[in-house]
Amino acid sequence: MFSSAARLRRCAVATLAGLALVPFVNARDEVLFTSSVSYCAPPELVLVEKFDIVYFAANQSIFFNVSAASVEANVNVTANLAVNVYGMQPLNITLDLCNILNGVLCPLPTYNFVGTETIPLPSTIDVASHLPAIAYKIPDLEAFAQLTLTRVDTGEVKACVQATLSNGWSTRQRGVGWGTGALAFLALLSALLHSLLCSPEARAPFRLLDLFGLYQSIAASALLDLNYPVVYRAFAANFAWALGLFESSNGLSIQGAINNMRHLTGGTMSDAAGGTGVALVNRRLSPYNVMPGGGAEATSAVQDLQTKIAANFLVGGAKQAVKRDVATVTSSSSNVLDAGIPVFVNSIGISTANAFMSVFLTLLMLTAIALFVLAVGWGVLVLVLRSREKKEKSAGKLEEWKEYYPWFSRAWALRLTLIVYFPVAIFAFHQWTLKDSWLATLFSVITLLAVLGAIIYPSYLTIRFVRRERPWTLYRDTPHLMSSGPLYIQYRHQRWFFFLIPLSAILVRAIIIAFAIASGLTQVIILLITELAVLGSTLVLKPNETRGGDVLASTLAVARVFAVGLSFAFVESFNVNAIPRVVIGFVIVVIFGFSVILMLINTLVNLGLRTLWRERIAARFGTRIGSSWRVGPIPEPAEGSVMDEKRGVVDAFARETPSASQPELLNTDRPRNPTPQHNIPLDPTLNEPYPEVTPTASSAFAPSYYASSAYPSPGDTSDSGFGSVLPRRPSYEGLGLDRLDMEEGGTSHTSHSPATARFSSASSTTPSTPHSFVGGRKGSQRESWTPSAALPRMSENVERPGALATIDDEREREEGRRSQ
């Protein structure tokens, strides 16, 4: 087992390492290019539609692709280009537009201009010495270029444009999303297979919940009001699908339908900006890390400028007006994306107001798929049963499955509810803070109540069941175990209540993420306390049935504690520099990446292919897993051995009581634990109350089972090679059973059992043992009781099967011959 796990671990690490190196196989040029564009000041002269810049480090050149329009004639401007990388400014140059593009930009034209040119930088501008080589390789580079147009004669700023820079590397990869989704789908199939073919205690369904819990924890860790580095936000976006959020675009019909619904039901918030939404990120956050220098009149200035440009185009006979694609982001803009949920959801193309409705629609689709699969399963089961009835064939286990299927369906409904519990709680609470569409708010209330009800009701039934019965009875009541078992069955019966701790922790996390959006420090502190409480309870209580389950739960809890603890570096008020924050972000990525690899290995190990294969082989040979089974003929026991005697007893029962299961009894080895299918059949005459007998004299007990053994019988008092026989104390002594004799009116001098009354005689006057006594009722005498003395008397009046009687008679005759 350990060797196979080690092989799986090595294969998993090698696979992930190979996948991680795939982007680096193809050599790329060392370039920096703009990834988003926005205004950094209210435009007065120029309205920019497109602004692309690419810097090539190989030949120290810059590629421009500019689309802009101006309204004032005879205006000469200079362009200042500044580059900010992780809060530092390695490049700051000023260009005279009259000396580039053959002077077509001097003065600025009063029409929509589109210009493309590659300009080699002069030797006096050494960009390579200011940009380290790592800037071209580090994922999710935090850098931006700012172009400022200043009027030559007055020095007045006429336009300010910011463009974020990228080198093409990122921790957000489409393959990661597909890979994690494939792992979750594999875990789902494994859980379904184990729940169908194995017992409710199968580990695969619980590992499915652990896997989704890990995915959701990674994604939710980027929803706090913190200044995350871009590298960590991009990494967390790979797991957004686990929250029910799938990457979208403005043209997607689902997001368009949500926008229409919101606007028709009182929604006033803006739609998604498109792309990754980086252009609208608050300038205090990464990748900008600076305070914006705009004014309150930014939006109105853009609108006025658009009006002027449109008027000039109409006068000049322009065929089309400028289409504005550049956002305006200043210190007082209303469309700025703050830290937390707004930045995260807009990075995948979903507007802030559409977050809950996106999760809600995903939940509806998931519910429809689950109901369809369960309905198909029920229909197939019913059709097969009817087909067997028509053919007059035995239903076998299918009839049991018909009874179990409703419980099975409720169990999987509960598992799916536990999976969607966290994202529904987060975004339902967040919807209440927006005060946008009343219909979306109504849906959020109904959905949250439905999810909470689906979890609280089985929890209440479980608690009530324990209060009425005992904790261990939870694991014996089949209907409750099959339907509500996903809550507690993975825990020991002494720790059945542990499921309340993770459920409460999830609710606390959702409340803090949604409502404590004004203070990131408060969020981190409360979440750290919550994660420490979960970790401490896991370490102290050790709730899982297996040690491996406790180790896995503790490892995942430690990962969450470290991730939350390191998030203190992202608190805005601490003003941690960009580079240390990026390093800490990489550390958290490594921690969560290790957790994902651990769950990958655990999922592969818990697929149960080896166990299912053993079950298949064992089923062919009529044995069960847990029994000592072997393939091939079973050797016959040696003559005269204990196993030979047991085989003789089994054969006697087989001859007297034929059964369909006899081939299994005769051709299999003894199971490690008794099982109803493979036990020796119980003689029904033995399952009766002991008869009332009144023997007149006691007889020594020397059963024939001990006659053929080298050990003395329990009733033998003769000398042996092992020393003298010590007086034995009755097995019931000290248990309080002797007090029952007093209740019947006797005075006990030694320990006696009330059962000896069945073997005493009121008319007997000569005690058969020195332990007899007189007391209580007149003339009643009771001899001492021991199992060795009582067993022959019980067997005297119990009719035995003829086969066993014959075996005992033969042994007694053999014993007599040996004694002679």
Side-chain angles (χ1 to χ4, degrees):
M1 179 62 185
F2 293 101
S3 60
S4 61
R7 288 194 299 269
L8 286 174
R9 188 181 299 108
R10 289 194 295 268
C11 292
V13 173
T15 302
L16 291 177
L19 291 176
L21 294 176
V22 167
F24 297 92
V25 174
N26 298 325
R28 288 187 180 181
D29 294 334
E30 294 183 347
V31 298
L32 296 176
F33 57 88
T34 57
S35 56
S36 67
V37 181
S38 60
Y39 290 110
C40 52
E44 297 181 2
L45 176 64
V46 178
L47 187 66
V48 177
E49 180 183 2
K50 189 174 184 179
F51 183 75
D52 293 335
I53 301 177
V54 181
Y55 168 72
F56 297 92
N59 55 7
Q60 293 285 306
S61 61
I62 295 179
F63 169 79
F64 285 97
N65 185 4
V66 179
S67 176
S70 64
V71 295
E72 294 185 19
N74 299 322
V75 176
N76 296 331
V77 295
T78 59
N80 176 262
L81 180 63
V83 178
N84 184 298
V85 181
Y86 293 109
M88 303 175 293
Q89 282 194 353
L91 180 64
N92 192 342
I93 59 175
T94 301
L95 301 176
D96 189 354
L97 297 185
C98 296
N99 297 329
I100 62 175
L101 300 178
N102 298 324
V104 296
L105 297 179
C106 184
L108 288 178
T110 57
Y111 55 86
N112 188 19
F113 171 80
V114 177
T116 300
E117 184 68 25
T118 299
I119 304 174
L121 295 177
S123 58
T124 56
I125 302 177
D126 188 8
V127 179
S129 62
H130 295 87
L131 293 177
I134 194 175
Y136 305 101
K137 297 297 182 181
I138 188 171
D140 300 293
L141 178 67
E142 294 188 9
F144 70 94
Q146 178 173 308
L147 177 65
T148 304
L149 299 181
T150 305
R151 189 163 183 166
V152 176
D153 51 356
T154 62
E156 182 181 3
V157 176
K158 292 296 183 180
C160 179
V161 179
Q162 288 179 341
T164 57
L165 301 179
S166 176
N167 54 21
W169 306 110
S170 176
T171 56
R172 181 181 177 184
Q173 298 292 331
R174 188 179 297 272
V176 176
W178 282 102
T180 54
L183 176 59
F185 186 72
L186 179 63
L188 175 62
L189 293 180
S190 176
L192 282 171
L193 184 63
H194 281 76
S195 60
L196 285 171
L197 302 181
C198 303
S199 62
E201 295 87 354
R203 289 176 292 180
F206 301 104
R207 296 301 171 259
L208 174 66
L209 299 179
D210 292 336
L211 182 63
F212 269 93
L214 174 62
Y215 288 170
Q216 293 172 356
S217 297
I218 297 174
S221 63
L223 301 181
L224 305 180
D225 185 23
L226 301 175
N227 186 11
Y228 294 100
V230 179
V231 64
Y232 185 71
R233 284 206 304 259
F235 171 76
N238 293 319
F239 302 88
W241 64 268
L243 296 177
L245 300 173
F246 294 88
E247 188 173 1
S248 179
S249 61
N250 288 338
L252 192 63
S253 58
I254 294 180
Q255 294 300 318
I258 296 176
N259 291 333
N260 294 334
M261 183 275 294
R262 287 194 305 103
H263 296 323
L264 293 175
T265 55
T268 58
M269 298 183 65
S270 59
D271 300 334
T276 60
V278 177
L280 298 177
V281 173
N282 195 311
R283 294 306 187 258
R284 300 192 309 268
L285 309 176
S286 294
Y288 300 98
N289 303 304
V290 294
M291 292 296 295
E297 68 280 3
T299 303
S300 60
V302 174
Q303 295 175 350
D304 294 341
L305 189 57
Q306 285 179 315
T307 303
K308 294 180 181 179
I309 293 176
N312 290 337
F313 286 167
L314 291 176
V315 172
K319 296 182 180 180
Q320 59 181 8
V322 172
K323 181 181 179 181
R324 173 177 169 264
D325 292 330
V326 180
T328 303
V329 181
T330 62
S331 58
S332 58
S333 299
S334 59
N335 59 344
V336 173
L337 299 178
D338 293 321
I341 294 179
V343 172
F344 184 83
V345 297
N346 278 271
S347 66
I348 57 178
I350 300 175
S351 67
T352 306
N354 289 6
F356 168 75
M357 289 303 303
S358 300
V359 175
F360 176 73
L361 293 179
T362 302
L363 176 61
L364 288 183
M365 290 184 283
L366 179 63
T367 303
I369 294 174
L371 292 177
F372 174 77
V373 172
L374 293 176
V376 169
W378 175 257
V380 171
L381 182 61
V382 171
L383 290 177
V384 173
L385 284 174
R386 291 183 178 179
S387 175
R388 286 182 173 270
E389 289 178 359
K390 292 180 179 179
K391 297 179 180 180
E392 297 181 355
K393 292 184 178 180
S394 175
K397 291 186 177 181
L398 293 178
E399 193 66 33
E400 296 180 2
W401 257 108
K402 186 177 181 181
E403 179 184 359
Y404 293 158
Y405 198 83
W407 304 334
F408 171 82
S409 302
R410 287 198 292 267
W412 271 101
L414 180 57
R415 289 189 182 98
L416 295 179
T417 303
L418 293 175
I419 291 176
V420 303
Y421 172 38
F422 193 27
V424 167
I426 291 176
F427 292 102
F429 290 146
H430 178 257
Q431 182 65 35
W432 300 353
T433 64
L434 299 179
K435 300 178 181 179
D436 187 58
S437 169
W438 64 265
L439 184 58
T441 304
L442 177 62
F443 284 155
S444 66
V445 173
I446 296 174
T447 306
L448 182 61
L449 291 178
V451 171
L452 291 178
I455 295 176
I456 293 175
Y457 181 67
S459 303
Y460 164 74
L461 293 180
T462 302
I463 297 173
R464 187 185 66 176
F465 192 92
V466 173
R467 290 177 62 89
R468 293 181 177 180
E469 303 291 341
R470 292 292 186 270
W472 59 268
T473 57
L474 286 173
Y475 302 81
R476 299 292 184 88
D477 186 80
T478 302
H480 190 82
L481 180 67
M482 292 287 291
S483 59
S484 301
L487 289 174
Y488 62 86
I489 198 174
Q490 61 177 325
Y491 306 124
R492 296 182 290 130
H493 73 270
Q494 299 91 339
R495 302 289 185 262
W496 64 270
F497 56 85
F498 193 83
F499 72 91
L500 297 173
I501 296 178
L503 290 180
S504 302
I506 289 175
L507 186 61
V508 171
R509 296 188 193 110
I511 292 175
I512 295 304
I513 292 174
F515 292 114
I517 55 178
S519 175
L521 180 60
T522 302
Q523 290 179 322
V524 174
I525 292 175
I526 297 178
L527 289 181
L528 181 60
I529 295 173
T530 303
E531 299 301 343
L532 287 174
V534 174
L535 175 60
S537 61
T538 304
L539 294 176
V540 173
L541 297 178
K542 298 179 180 179
N544 291 274
E545 284 283 356
T546 61
R547 181 176 298 178
D550 287 330
V551 171
L552 179 62
S554 301
T555 303
L556 297 180
V558 168
R560 292 194 300 268
V561 168
F562 275 102
V564 175
L566 292 174
S567 298
F568 277 100
F570 305 150
V571 177
E572 290 186 49
S573 59
F574 290 172
N575 294 324
V576 180
N577 292 332
I579 293 179
R581 286 191 293 104
V582 171
V583 173
I584 294 175
F586 272 113
V587 172
I588 301 178
V589 168
V590 171
I591 292 174
F592 278 134
F594 170 79
S595 301
V596 173
I597 295 176
L598 178 63
M599 288 304 304
L600 168 63
I601 298 172
N602 191 279
T603 301
L604 296 178
V605 170
N606 285 316
L607 285 178
L609 299 180
R610 180 182 178 185
T611 302
L612 292 176
W613 177 254
R614 288 182 60 191
E615 287 281 0
R616 182 173 179 269
I617 295 297
R620 294 183 59 187
F621 290 89
T623 59
R624 297 181 58 191
I625 298 305
S627 302
S628 56
W629 62 278
R630 59 174 65 90
V631 179
I634 300 175
E636 293 294 332
E639 183 178 359
S641 64
V642 177
M643 287 302 298
D644 186 30
E645 295 183 3
K646 293 180 179 180
R647 179 61 60 89
V649 174
V650 174
D651 292 340
F653 269 107
R655 288 192 299 269
E656 184 164 332
T657 311
S659 173
S661 61
Q662 294 306 321
E664 298 180 6
L665 290 173
L666 299 178
N667 299 326
T668 60
D669 200 356
R670 180 180 179 180
R672 297 173 186 172
N673 294 315
T675 57
Q677 292 82 3
H678 300 88
N679 252 355
I680 297 175
L682 177 65
D683 184 10
T685 60
L686 297 177
N687 192 19
E688 295 179 356
Y690 297 143
E692 294 288 346
V693 296
T694 55
T696 58
S698 63
S699 61
F701 175 58
S704 58
Y705 295 95
Y706 295 94
S708 61
S709 175
Y711 299 98
S713 65
D716 188 9
T717 58
S718 61
D719 294 337
S720 66
F722 300 100
S724 60
V725 179
L726 297 177
R728 63 173 73 241
R729 188 180 72 170
S731 59
Y732 60 84
E733 186 174 317
L735 301 179
L737 299 179
D738 52 339
R739 298 181 181 178
L740 298 177
D741 296 330
M742 303 297 297
E743 297 177 359
E744 296 183 5
T747 58
S748 174
H749 299 283
T750 58
S751 298
H752 301 280
S753 169
T756 57
R758 300 179 180 180
F759 309 104
S760 62
S761 175
S763 61
S764 178
T765 58
T766 303
S768 59
T769 65
H771 300 286
S772 60
F773 65 93
V774 178
R777 297 177 184 175
K778 182 178 180 180
S780 67
Q781 295 180 352
R782 301 185 183 183
E783 56 185 281
S784 63
W785 181 89
T786 60
S788 59
L791 185 58
R793 300 167 178 242
M794 289 186 289
S795 61
E796 289 177 1
N797 294 295
V798 177
E799 183 180 356
R800 297 174 298 171
L804 291 182
T806 303
I807 294 173
D808 289 344
D809 293 340
E810 292 177 356
R811 287 175 177 169
E812 289 178 0
R813 287 194 294 270
E814 180 67 23
E815 181 183 359
R817 288 194 296 269
R818 291 179 182 177
S819 61
Q820 293 175 359

